Amino acid sequence: DARVTQTPRHKVTEMGQEVTMRCQPILGHNTVFWYRQTMMQGLELLAYFRNRAPLDDSGMPKDRFSAEMPDATLATLKIQPSEPRDSAVYFCASGYALAYNEQFFGPGTRLTVL
Amino acid sequence: QKEVEQDPGPLSVPEGAIVSLNCTYSNSAFQYFMWYRQYSRKGPELLMYTYSSGNKEDGRFTAQVDKSSKYISLFIRDSQPSDSATYLCAMSAGSNYQLIWGAGTKLIIKP
């Protein structure tokens, strides 16, 4: 049963700390998306990669967020330093290039910054 | 004004009712229209996918697109408590374009 996995599932941290979220896309998928979901803003695209290359990260606050794909089985999203306004659920999704319409989402990382 | 507008609800209906969920949009370039379903504390999952105008049916679900009115709908027949979830519409101008998402409508089906 192929699925996207994300770790950690929950993270509570203090303001100013570094947070790293990890995602394992479905094997064979060549596109990875990072989203943030809040009650106020809904689902926001932060960044996405095709064949491990970043295509668009315009949705991310550049001064504190960074996204990478060190290899085809791992995508990371880092926040440094974290702020209370970063509290949200962060989703990773994967899919195929030329089929962005069908994205397979992971279970999300619920982040709380105190 | 957002590119995609969706009433966040909640929408509460009795079991067995027909449910109508809707989104409006402003970008006439959108060609692909999707409905994703999101259960509480889970990631969204693709439910229905329509290209251009027209209807598409899958079991109890029907997706309808009216490009002249820039309006899309999802109908659920014989609604079940297990249909209780948030339904998000999403649209794109092409199959390799990023999705533009609605806010999601929370649906509650009362037994």
Side-chain angles (χ1 to χ4, degrees), chain B residues 4-111:
Chain B
V4 178
E5 298 280 357
Q6 184 176 13
D7 186 335
L11 176 63
S12 182
V13 300
E15 181 177 356
I18 295 175
V19 174
S20 172
L21 303 168
N22 312 294
C23 289
T24 59
Y25 63 95
S26 57
N27 189 345
S28 58
F30 289 150
Q31 297 276 6
Y32 294 83
F33 303 92
M34 279 65 63
W35 287 96
Y36 278 74
R37 179 176 61 195
Q38 185 176 21
Y39 289 115
S40 181
R41 301 198 172 250
K42 303 282 188 184
E45 58 178 344
L46 182 64
L47 187 62
M48 299 280 289
Y49 165 21
T50 310
Y51 172 71
S52 195
S53 282
N55 291 2
K56 186 173 183 179
E57 190 173 317
D58 183 2
R60 297 184 295 111
F61 298 87
T62 300
Q64 198 171 76
V65 175
D66 181 349
K67 291 187 71 179
S68 62
S69 302
K70 296 190 178 70
Y71 188 89
I72 70 169
S73 300
L74 178 71
F75 298 96
I76 308 174
R77 292 185 299 281
D78 187 25
S79 55
Q80 304 293 311
S82 59
D83 296 326
S84 298
T86 296
Y87 291 79
L88 299 108
C89 63
M91 311 180 186
S92 72
S95 60
N96 61 342
Y97 284 67
Q98 62 178 269
L99 300 184
I100 308 300
W101 295 84
T105 299
K106 183 172 183 177
L107 174 65
I108 301 167
I109 308 296
K110 298 175 293 185

Side-chain angles (χ1 to χ4, degrees), chain A residues 37 45 98 100-101 103 110, chain B residues 36 38 41 92 95-96:
Chain A
Q37 188 175 41
L45 179 66
L98 301 181
Y100 286 7
N101 304 311
Q103 298 180 15
R110 185 171 295 271
Chain B
Y36 278 74
Q38 185 176 21
R41 301 198 172 250
S92 72
S95 60
N96 61 342

